[in-house]
Amino acid sequence: MTVVVEPNRAALPELLERDEDGQRLGALLWRRGPGWRAVSSAVLGGGIGERAWVMNVQVAHGYTRTDPEAHLAALARRAGLRGPGVGLMTAAEVTRRGTASDGGVDAVATAGIEVRGWAAAPGAGVPGPQAPGTINIVVTVPAPLTDAALVNAVATATEAKVQALLDAGHDCSGTPTDAVCVLARAPLPGGPAEPFAGPRSLWGARLARAVHAAVGAALPGPGVS
C-alpha cells in the first residue's frame, strides 16, 4: 500500500507576495516549463492544453473586479512568466496550503469555506463569475495522460475533495467557486499515454489519496471558516 507523505521540496510551489487593496497578499507559483499539459477549470488558461506554469493567486475578501482573467494575466507578466499558463484565484490564505504526495503524484490545496454548500441545491444559478471562495487544488502527475484521462482526473480529484470535506466534519460538497488544475507530462510524439485516471486506476488512485490528504490538511476544523 502506498503511503501518503509530504512532497519533495522540488515539487512545492514558490510563494510570491505583493501589496494590493491595502493588504499583503500571496500567490503560489509552479514554474513547470515545456513538456507539460494541463486540464483546468481556472479563470485563466482553463480547458486542456500545453501549460508552462500555474499560479494560485490570493485576492482580498470581497473581491469586486469584473476582469479576473486580465488581472491574472497582469500578475503573471509581473512575475516574469511567459507562454501559456493557468491562473486560479482564492480569498483563502495561500500560506495555509495543504500538501501531500503519493507515488509521485503531488497535490497542493488551499481552502476557504466560508461560503459552502451542496452541489445539487435548489434555486437558480448565478450568471457570470462569482467572488473567489474557495477550494483550489493543483495536482502534478509525472506521467502522460490522454485527454479523456485528464477529464477523468478532474472527477477523481473532486471525489477526493468531497471525501476530505466529509471526513473533516463539514456538511457540504464544496464552495460555489472551487477550481482544480491537473498537470501531466506531455506524451512523446507517437508515444503512449495513460488512458484512465479513475480512483482505482494506477495514477488515479495515487491522485485521489494525495488530493484527499492535501485538502484535509488545508481545511479549517468543523464550524470554522
Side-chain angles (χ1 to χ4, degrees):
M1 178 177 177
T2 306
V3 178
V4 176
V5 297
E6 287 289 308
N8 296 326
R9 288 189 178 275
L12 293 174
E14 301 172 39
L15 176 62
L16 307 180
E17 291 186 312
R18 72 190 191 282
D19 293 314
E20 187 175 276
D21 294 330
Q23 299 183 43
R24 189 70 172 166
L25 301 171
L28 302 179
L29 173 61
W30 292 256
R31 300 179 192 265
R32 289 303 180 192
W36 292 89
R37 295 202 313 146
V39 58
S40 180
S41 60
V43 173
L44 176 68
I48 296 177
E50 294 186 5
R51 303 290 186 266
W53 51 266
V54 177
M55 188 161 54
N56 185 15
V57 175
Q58 180 185 351
V59 296
H61 287 277
Y63 183 81
T64 58
R65 286 187 59 158
T66 59
D67 60 343
E69 186 173 1
H71 186 191
L72 286 165
L75 292 175
R77 289 192 296 271
R78 185 187 302 179
L81 301 175
R82 298 291 183 269
V86 175
L88 306 96
M89 281 185 169
T90 180
E93 294 184 26
V94 296
T95 55
R96 295 176 54 189
R97 64 187 181 268
T99 61
S101 182
D102 189 297
V105 176
D106 297 304
V108 178
T110 55
I113 56 172
E114 182 176 348
V115 180
R116 57 186 183 268
W118 295 101
V126 179
Q130 300 180 59
T134 189
I135 300 173
N136 284 348
I137 301 167
V138 177
V139 189
T140 304
V141 180
L145 302 177
T146 64
D147 284 0
L150 284 170
V151 175
N152 206 175
V154 171
T156 298
T158 302
E159 290 182 40
K161 175 200 72 176
V162 175
Q163 184 179 346
L165 282 162
L166 297 179
D167 286 349
H170 296 291
D171 188 21
C172 63
S173 59
T175 85
T177 53
D178 290 352
V180 62
C181 176
V182 178
L183 285 157
R185 283 288 186 184
L188 298 174
E194 295 289 330
F196 306 112
R200 295 283 65 84
S201 69
L202 174 64
W203 291 105
R206 296 172 178 178
L207 181 151
R209 289 189 293 265
V211 169
H212 179 265
V215 172
L219 286 170
V224 179
S225 298

